[in-house]
Amino acid sequence: MSTKSKRNLSGCPIDYALSVLGDRWSLIIVRDLAIRGAKTYAELLDGWEGISTNILAQRMRHLESNGIVEKRKNPANWRSSIYELTPKGRDLAPVLAEIILWGGAYNESDSPKNEAYDTVKSDRAKFEAAIRENDEIAQ
Amino acid sequence: MSTKSKRNLSGCPIDYALSVLGDRWSLIIVRDLAIRGAKTYAELLDGWEGISTNILAQRMRHLESNGIVEKRKNPANWRSSIYELTPKGRDLAPVLAEIILWGGAYNESDSPKNEAYDTVKSDRAKFEAAIRENDEIAQ
DNA sequence: CTGGATCCCAATAGATACTG
DNA sequence: CAGTATCTATTGGGATCCAG
C-alpha cells in the first residue's frame, strides 16, 4: 500500500504537480472541497461524479500525506471528521481557475449550476480570494 | 480499444478537462510540445520522464481525437511525422503557467534547466505568448 | 450513524519485445 | 521511425463488512 508518492523523477514542477494530482480523482476532490463546500467523507462520496469508497479513502490519504488536505475532528459532531484544504491546497485556486476557464471554453455540455463557475469568468480575483479565505462561494 | 473519451458525466468544466488530460502523461506530453520543443514521436519518447511506447501512442491518439494535438507529415523528411498543438492545445498555456508556479513553489527538488520555468515567474505574459505563437522559448 | 477496509472482478496503465 | 503485440501490474466500481 504505502503512500509512496508516485515518483517525481525529473524534478519538473509540472511532473511534481502530476505526482500529487495527476489522476482522475484528486482534482475533483480538491474542487469539491474548494468550491462545492464538501467537508466530510460522506459529502465527498456524494459528488457529481460518484467516486467509490475505496478510491476516495486512498486519495484522501494521498492528498493528506502530500499536504493538500487536513483532517480534524468535527467539534459539533464527534462522530464525524472534517476535511479541509491546507494553504498549499488553497494555493491551487489559480490552477482551478484556469482549468475552469479552459474547460468551460471547450466543453460542449452545460456546466452544473454553481456560482463559482460564473464568478471565475466575471471576477477571477474574487473567485480566488474566496478559496484562499475558505469562504464559501459554493453551491 | 476505441478512443472513447473517458466520460464526462457531470458536465463540470474541471471534470471535462480531466476527461481529456487527467492522467499521468497527457500534460507531460503537452509540456514537451509546448515548452520543450518536441515535435516527433521519438523526441516525445525521449523526454525527462520516460514514457513507454504503447502509452505514448495511445495518449497521442487520445489527444488527437480530443483536438489537443495535430499530426502532419514532415515536409523536410517524408518518413517522419510532426506533432503540434492545436489552438485548443495552445490555450492550455495559462493552465501550464499556474501549474508551473504552484509546482515550483512546493516542489523541493530542483527543476530541470529550462528557460521557460524562469520566464513564467518573471514574465508570465511572455511565457504564454510564446506558446500561443508557437515560438520556441525552449531548451 | 460515519468513516472507512476488504473482496471480487473488470478495465486501464505500463514495461518490454518485436514489427511494417 | 513510429508504432503494435503481449503480458503483467495497478486502478477502479460496487457490494459488503466492520470499528468507533
Side-chain angles (χ1 to χ4, degrees), chain A residues 88-136:
Chain A
K88 178 176 177 180
R90 276 182 262 114
D91 277 349
L92 287 166
V95 176
L96 287 178
E98 293 299 350
I99 291 175
I100 291 169
L101 291 171
W102 184 88
Y106 289 106
N107 184 18
E108 299 115 25
S109 27
D110 290 334
S111 298
K113 256 273 160 276
N114 187 306
E115 196 190 321
Y117 299 140
D118 301 324
T119 306
V120 190
K121 289 174 201 174
S122 63
D123 188 347
R124 186 181 149 153
K126 179 179 174 186
F127 169 86
E128 293 185 18
I131 292 180
R132 287 234 165 78
E133 293 157 21
N134 216 6
D135 266 353
E136 271 147 65

Side-chain angles (χ1 to χ4, degrees), chain A residues 41-42 53-54 57 61 71 80-81 83:
Chain A
Y41 190 85
T53 65
N54 54 348
R61 255 182 282 122
K71 177 157 96 168
S80 151
S81 291
Y83 291 95

Side-chain angles (χ1 to χ4, degrees), chain A residues 26-115:
Chain A
S26 297
L27 211 61
I28 293 284
I29 293 169
V30 171
R31 177 205 66 189
D32 283 352
L33 294 170
I35 79 185
R36 294 191 62 227
K39 286 179 167 10
T40 66
Y41 190 85
E43 286 166 355
L44 288 166
L45 264 187
D46 188 36
W48 290 325
E49 290 89 2
I51 187 173
S52 40
T53 65
N54 54 348
I55 304 300
L56 178 58
Q58 177 188 309
R59 289 305 125 90
M60 292 315 282
R61 255 182 282 122
H62 185 241
L63 290 173
E64 203 178 351
S65 77
N66 281 277
I68 308 292
V69 305
E70 232 166 28
K71 177 157 96 168
R72 54 185 181 77
K73 289 288 156 201
N74 186 343
N77 177 357
W78 53 272
R79 19 178 128 242
S80 151
S81 291
I82 296 291
Y83 291 95
E84 58 185 2
L85 294 173
T86 61
K88 178 176 177 180
R90 276 182 262 114
D91 277 349
L92 287 166
V95 176
L96 287 178
E98 293 299 350
I99 291 175
I100 291 169
L101 291 171
W102 184 88
Y106 289 106
N107 184 18
E108 299 115 25
S109 27
D110 290 334
S111 298
K113 256 273 160 276
N114 187 306
E115 196 190 321

